[in-house]
Amino acid sequence: MSIDQSEERTAEAPPEPRFTWAAVRPLLVRLHFYAGVFVGPFLLVAALTGLAYIWTPQAEQAVYDHELHVPAAPGVVPLAQQAAVAKAAVPDGTVTGIRPGPTPTDSTQVIFNRPGLEPSFHHTVFVDPHTGTIRGQLETYGSGQALPLRSRLDGLHANLQLGDFGRWYSELAASWLWVVVLAGIALWFGSRKRKKSQSARGRLLSWHRMTGLVIAAGLLVLSATGLTWSEHAGDNISELRSQLDWTTPSVSAALPAATPQGADVGIDAVRAATLQAGLSDPVEIRPPSAPGKAYVVAQVGREWPTKADSMAVDPATGRITATLPFSDYSVAAKLSRWGIDAHMGLLFGVANQIVLTGLAVGLIAVIFWGYRMWWLRRPTRGDARVGRPPVRGTWRRIPGRVLAPFLVATAVVGYYLPVFGLSLLAFLVVDLIVAARRQEVKA
């Protein structure tokens, strides 16, 4: 091939455009816009219901004061006797756990599995540890022993009290929240040098950006932890964690084959052994789940990130057979525990609740400002009643070497987060239909 021919072919094939912010910004604007407009209502509901849930621990203490608290008095009735009193009140129940009151003014909680209860629900009897009398009985939920008020608000936040169908709402919100946040961060960095507008919409945009940037990290944590509870993405995340050995460990309750069967030192001796070994309150004592299994005593405090140790105790001898300190958890298991507790407002107590309140209020404000800006973009003439969306066709300006990995990454994320993938596909279909109708009108 001659030099002239080479130069001629080079001139005929223009070089591939370089990746620039100007090429990708319109796509991010359109993605941020559509996600905000269509997913905004779901995020708003999640923020409002989450705001209602945040302060339920304090509300529980007031609403269920009689069940949770007792007058301080000298002396304590043995735990075994307290459990027997509770068992007599629930003859059709099976004791699955006992939580001694961590202070002299706290009641003992005897937890039962009972026929007819929904999954993850328990029947709990509250016993005065000083007198051995029953203070009340309530249906509780989950490992955190949420009382009826908190469990109802938890269900409202998780599924709008609509069961599995309602869980689509929360999964949609959690699936898109991180996308909206990351796109917003990218747009903020790309527009820092732009001159700020003094118009009403310009001021709203400034508040929208700065508030979104302040709460961005917290929203990303809420999105990630929220997805772990979701129906479809949660299953995929659990499977991925299992494959990567990131699951939360549990203390072994298995006993040696030579251990005598039938003998039982009792709950009080089990608690005394673990207390002497340094397992401080609050704890839950779980009776052997089957012959050949040990008692399991586990710390259940959620305010401090290290109080999650557990021990197994031989029912025949009262000896500790296994210990699992929280320090032995993998980094992934620790992060999962801390993230979930932070999402629920339990980690570090009131400080966590204040931060979550700020995040919820900030998200509500950002959503309001976003819709307000959209409204201000509406035409003042013609038949249109809402603001114009960003320009279409922006993806064509992005170089193939950048667009291809982006599409592959989107497909992978859509596989693991199926509600995100399906809703994204729905957005694209709606966008194409709207564009086709506009072309017909112009024709």
Side-chain angles (χ1 to χ4, degrees):
M1 179 185 297
S2 66
I3 296 178
D4 293 340
Q5 290 175 323
S6 176
E7 290 177 350
E8 183 179 350
R9 292 194 176 186
T10 302
E12 291 176 356
E16 186 178 1
R18 294 180 301 171
F19 171 74
T20 62
W21 173 247
V24 74
R25 182 182 181 278
L27 180 62
L28 288 176
V29 170
R30 193 167 181 83
L31 177 65
H32 191 69
F33 168 80
Y34 271 118
V37 167
F38 292 111
V39 184
F42 299 95
L43 293 174
L44 181 61
V45 172
L48 291 172
T49 55
L51 191 59
Y53 175 84
I54 290 168
W55 295 96
T56 51
Q58 285 82 356
E60 280 184 331
Q61 297 296 313
V63 174
Y64 304 106
D65 175 74
H66 182 75
E67 289 83 2
L68 294 173
H69 304 128
V70 299
V76 175
V77 175
L79 285 173
Q81 183 177 333
Q82 296 182 53
V85 170
K87 176 62 178 174
V90 191
D92 61 339
T94 302
V95 178
T96 60
I98 299 171
R99 296 191 177 190
T103 73
T105 57
D106 290 321
S107 60
T108 297
Q109 300 181 25
V110 185
I111 307 166
F112 291 87
N113 184 20
R114 198 175 188 184
L117 290 176
E118 295 291 328
S120 299
F121 279 87
H122 321 285
H123 184 89
T124 299
V125 178
F126 299 83
V127 181
D128 186 330
H130 307 295
T131 64
T133 57
I134 294 177
R135 301 281 293 181
Q137 302 181 45
L138 294 171
E139 193 171 277
T140 54
Y141 173 76
S143 60
Q145 278 290 91
L147 300 180
L149 172 64
R150 182 150 57 109
S151 65
R152 282 195 291 269
L153 288 175
D154 177 70
L156 186 67
H157 179 64
N159 55 38
L160 299 178
Q161 297 290 3
L162 296 175
D164 290 340
F165 176 79
R167 293 182 68 180
W168 281 76
Y169 121 81
S170 59
E171 185 164 353
L172 183 69
S175 297
W176 276 96
L177 180 57
W178 65 274
V179 177
V180 175
V181 170
L182 292 180
I185 292 174
L187 291 172
W188 180 85
F189 275 103
S191 61
R192 284 180 301 169
K193 296 181 180 180
R194 292 185 170 221
K195 185 178 179 180
K196 295 182 179 180
S197 172
Q198 297 302 315
S199 64
R201 185 175 180 278
R203 290 192 296 272
L204 287 174
L205 179 59
S206 178
W207 298 341
H208 179 88
R209 285 173 174 169
M210 293 308 300
T211 304
L213 188 66
V214 169
I215 64 177
L219 294 182
L220 290 175
V221 172
L222 291 179
S223 176
T225 51
L227 284 171
T228 62
W229 281 305
S230 62
E231 183 173 3
H232 304 287
D235 291 341
N236 291 334
I237 292 173
S238 297
E239 182 180 352
L240 181 63
R241 288 181 60 194
S242 179
Q243 293 174 352
L244 297 175
D245 196 22
W246 287 355
T247 55
T248 300
S250 58
V251 67
S252 174
L255 294 173
T259 301
Q261 300 295 314
D264 194 333
V265 296
I267 299 172
D268 295 274
V270 168
R271 180 59 188 129
T274 56
L275 188 61
Q276 186 177 3
L279 200 65
S280 58
D281 288 326
V283 299
E284 179 174 309
I285 307 167
R286 299 163 193 155
S289 57
K293 297 294 184 180
Y295 279 92
V296 172
V297 185
Q299 289 180 322
V300 292
R302 311 295 288 269
E303 290 191 10
W304 296 103
T306 57
K307 294 196 70 172
D309 299 346
S310 54
M311 297 178 180
V313 180
D314 186 342
T317 64
R319 291 187 300 104
I320 295 173
T321 59
T323 300
L324 178 62
F326 184 68
S327 58
D328 285 355
Y329 282 32
S330 67
V331 173
K334 289 178 180 177
L335 291 175
S336 176
R337 168 67 184 265
W338 295 333
I340 289 173
D341 288 350
H343 189 120
M344 297 176 67
L346 302 175
L347 193 64
F348 302 123
V350 174
N352 193 167
Q353 292 173 299
I354 293 173
V355 170
L356 286 179
T357 300
L359 289 175
V361 172
L363 179 57
I364 293 169
V366 165
I367 293 171
F368 171 78
W369 291 328
Y371 278 111
R372 179 61 179 165
M373 287 187 294
W374 184 35
W375 174 254
L376 292 177
R377 282 172 57 91
R378 75 191 191 284
T380 56
R381 298 179 181 177
D383 297 331
R385 291 292 181 268
V386 296
R388 301 182 306 275
V391 64
R392 298 185 72 257
T394 53
W395 62 272
R396 299 188 185 94
R397 305 176 188 176
I398 301 177
R401 66 178 182 275
V402 176
L403 184 60
F406 173 79
L407 294 177
V408 171
T410 301
V412 172
V413 172
Y415 172 80
Y416 282 101
L417 309 181
V419 173
F420 165 77
L422 290 174
S423 57
L424 176 60
L425 184 61
F427 291 167
L428 294 175
V429 170
V430 170
D431 193 36
L432 291 173
I433 292 174
V434 171
R437 292 187 61 182
R438 288 179 177 174
Q439 291 295 329
E440 291 177 1
V441 172
K442 290 181 180 179

